[in-house]
Amino acid sequence: MSMDCGSAPYCGVLVLESGFGSGKYHHPTPAVHGLWPEIGSYGNSGCFNGNPNVAIPTVSCYTDSSFQQHEWTAHGVCASNDPVSFFYTVCNLSAAPLQIMTGLKSVSTMATALQKAGYPVWDSQAPNSQIYLSACAGKDGVWKLASTSNFGSVCGNTPPPPSSSTVKTTTKAAPSSSESAAVTSTRSACSHNECSPGGRLVATCSACAATVCKIDSYCCQTGWDSIPHNNAVP
């Protein structure tokens, strides 16, 4: 199926290996494969003009340097002009989803768990028992996980849709801890514990989430990572 970027200039998939494939795709734990802009027959993404011959960094989410070089040459040069930024992004975006997939016994259960955690599963029946998460990037070249229906609001020029939340807040979208009393509940619960990594959280689901999102917008735009935010604890 072809991916439509909408008003986002770049879109593609974060490819995760379940470990249940055959040959080199069979391994004991899930792993990241790469970040692929969907161009040509795969989608209408734009393409950067990275240098295929530039040195690439050593990163924790790749153990095979020749495979990592292939990912830069085949996909990275279209996803970014900077290999350091590209591979940091690949490792950062994949860390929490891979943690969710670890220990599960099938691709379908992995995909279901990812969806329940708020991750945008684009294809759960990809070749070699892989799972594709949809992603987009704006003109700044920063890639973010997002559902295709939200590409415009996350990475393009489309205003975000009205929130369906029943939470009433002040005019500030993410109040600080000193302002959190201004948030009027009827507050819906966060989709997972704020102390545990997982899918992105809505800033208004708790005072802690609101504070973290003000400190680190990544947590409410892409994924709730495992980096501690001590300032969020009252």
Side-chain angles (χ1 to χ4, degrees):
M1 50 186 170
S2 179
M3 179 176 284
D4 183 3
C5 294
S7 62
Y10 309 98
C11 65
V13 290
L14 179 69
V15 183
L16 306 175
E17 298 181 9
S18 69
F20 297 125
S22 58
K24 63 183 180 180
Y25 294 99
H26 186 75
H27 36 77
T29 57
V32 65
H33 189 139
L35 177 62
W36 305 348
E38 296 290 75
I39 60 176
S41 61
Y42 297 101
N44 60 358
S45 176
C47 196
F48 286 90
N49 189 28
N51 182 353
N53 300 314
V54 71
I56 59 174
T58 300
V59 291
S60 60
C61 62
Y62 285 99
T63 57
D64 184 335
S65 60
S66 61
F67 177 67
Q68 184 184 350
Q69 181 66 60
H70 161 78
E71 285 302 297
W72 171 248
T73 303
H75 306 286
V77 293
C78 186
S80 176
N81 289 324
D82 177 15
V84 175
S85 174
F86 173 72
F87 284 111
Y88 172 82
T89 297
V90 171
C91 293
N92 196 30
L93 291 181
S94 63
L98 290 175
Q99 186 175 30
I100 291 171
M101 294 165 64
T102 299
L104 299 180
K105 302 303 182 182
S106 69
V107 177
S108 61
T109 56
M110 288 177 174
T112 299
L114 288 169
Q115 289 173 325
K116 287 183 177 179
Y119 288 100
V121 175
W122 165 251
D123 189 353
S124 61
Q125 297 180 337
N128 301 307
S129 298
Q130 299 180 113
I131 296 174
Y132 295 173
L133 303 183
S134 55
C136 62
K139 294 179 180 179
D140 58 1
V142 177
W143 285 87
K144 303 172 184 177
L145 296 178
S147 63
T148 55
S149 61
N150 289 333
F151 279 172
S153 59
V154 174
C155 301
N157 302 317
T158 305
S163 173
S164 59
S165 172
T166 58
V167 177
K168 297 179 181 179
T169 67
T170 61
T171 55
K172 295 183 179 180
S176 67
S177 57
S178 63
E179 298 168 325
S180 60
V183 179
T184 305
S185 295
T186 42
R187 176 174 283 137
S188 58
C190 296
S191 59
H192 62 78
N193 190 294
E194 299 97 318
C195 296
S196 302
R200 61 185 184 274
L201 293 181
V202 179
T204 51
C205 76
S206 74
C208 176
T211 304
V212 171
C213 291
K214 188 172 184 179
I215 296 170
D216 185 358
S217 61
Y218 174 89
C219 293
C220 290
Q221 294 178 352
T222 304
W224 196 267
D225 59 29
S226 58
I227 299 173
H229 297 286
N230 296 331
N231 292 334
V233 179

